[in-house]
Amino acid sequence: MNKLFTIFLTAMFVKNVVLMRFLALCPFVGMSQDVKKSMGMGYAVLFVTLLATAVTYPVYRYVLAPLHLEFLQTLLFILVIASLVQLVEFYLKKAAPALYASMGVYLALITTNCAILAVTLDVIVEGYSFVEALVYASGSALGFMLSLVLLAGLRSRVDVAPVPKILKGAPILFITAALLSMAFSGFASLV
């Protein structure tokens, strides 16, 4: 149980896919205008990451590796992720049309979200068991959501702050994201 907790904390804070590994920056910047959108994107990424890991792990272990077809893993993993994103897109279109509309192109970008692909590849490289892989995937996805929500909260504060005119817009956004990333680097001593 202690090992699972360590894997979860490492994935969420120490190896945060956005703030420490600098993956998935497009949805990080694009979907952090408000907290509600950030949460919606975070839940979609959580769902896709968990399902992608649950599907790609056994496919790799029981099909690709025994047949020595490991070179196909990236192609196959991307196909699995794209299929799962389509399922999420269909569900959101029917169940939450407002959220679907607000996510716009960023929902489709989950398909090419390198963070999800990185998580599915990481569990193979690290040699995790199936349960450990799911814990790592959930920690990574929740770390992504935490990053989005934190930046959304900070952006709402920065929008009303007296920022010099030269720094308004993208410059202050990137400075804020950089400071957030520096804060997360302190978690490296956790594990």
Side-chain angles (χ1 to χ4, degrees):
M1 190 63 160
N2 193 24
K3 184 177 181 184
L4 294 179
F5 187 66
T6 302
I7 290 171
F8 181 82
L9 284 181
T10 300
M12 188 168 183
F13 296 111
V14 179
K15 290 184 178 181
N16 185 287
V17 290
V18 177
L19 298 174
M20 297 311 298
R21 297 177 68 191
F22 307 112
L23 300 172
L25 293 177
C26 184
F28 175 63
V29 171
M31 289 301 296
S32 61
Q33 287 99 359
D34 73 22
V35 175
K36 190 172 184 177
K37 284 182 186 178
S38 298
M39 293 293 289
M41 176 61 101
Y43 285 127
V45 168
L46 175 65
F47 178 77
V48 172
T49 304
L50 280 172
L51 277 180
T53 303
V55 171
T56 57
Y57 182 90
V59 167
Y60 180 84
R61 290 280 184 233
Y62 303 116
V63 178
L64 296 179
L67 296 175
H68 304 291
L69 298 173
E70 294 91 346
F71 63 93
L72 292 175
Q73 75 180 5
T74 303
L75 175 67
L76 185 66
F77 288 12
I78 289 172
L79 288 172
V80 168
I81 293 167
S83 301
L84 292 171
V85 169
Q86 287 299 309
L87 289 174
V88 169
E89 198 169 344
F90 292 145
Y91 173 75
L92 286 178
K93 196 172 190 177
K94 294 288 184 189
L99 180 60
Y100 173 79
S102 73
M103 290 176 111
V105 70
Y106 295 104
L107 183 60
L109 285 176
I110 295 175
T111 301
T112 58
N113 189 336
C114 52
I116 297 172
L117 180 60
V119 169
T120 59
L121 295 173
D122 281 351
V123 299
I124 301 302
V125 170
E126 294 292 331
Y128 290 140
S129 68
F130 185 70
V131 172
E132 291 170 343
L134 292 178
V135 168
Y136 182 82
S138 63
S140 294
L142 290 172
F144 176 80
M145 185 188 314
L146 176 66
S147 303
L148 279 175
V149 170
L150 286 174
L151 186 62
L154 290 171
R155 283 178 83 168
S156 68
R157 299 292 300 260
V158 168
D159 288 345
V160 296
V163 176
K165 191 173 187 174
I166 197 166
L167 294 177
K168 287 208 180 276
I172 196 67
L173 170 64
F174 290 126
I175 290 169
T176 304
L179 291 172
L180 189 57
S181 179
M182 286 173 53
F184 264 67
S185 69
F187 290 120
S189 63
L190 249 174
V191 180

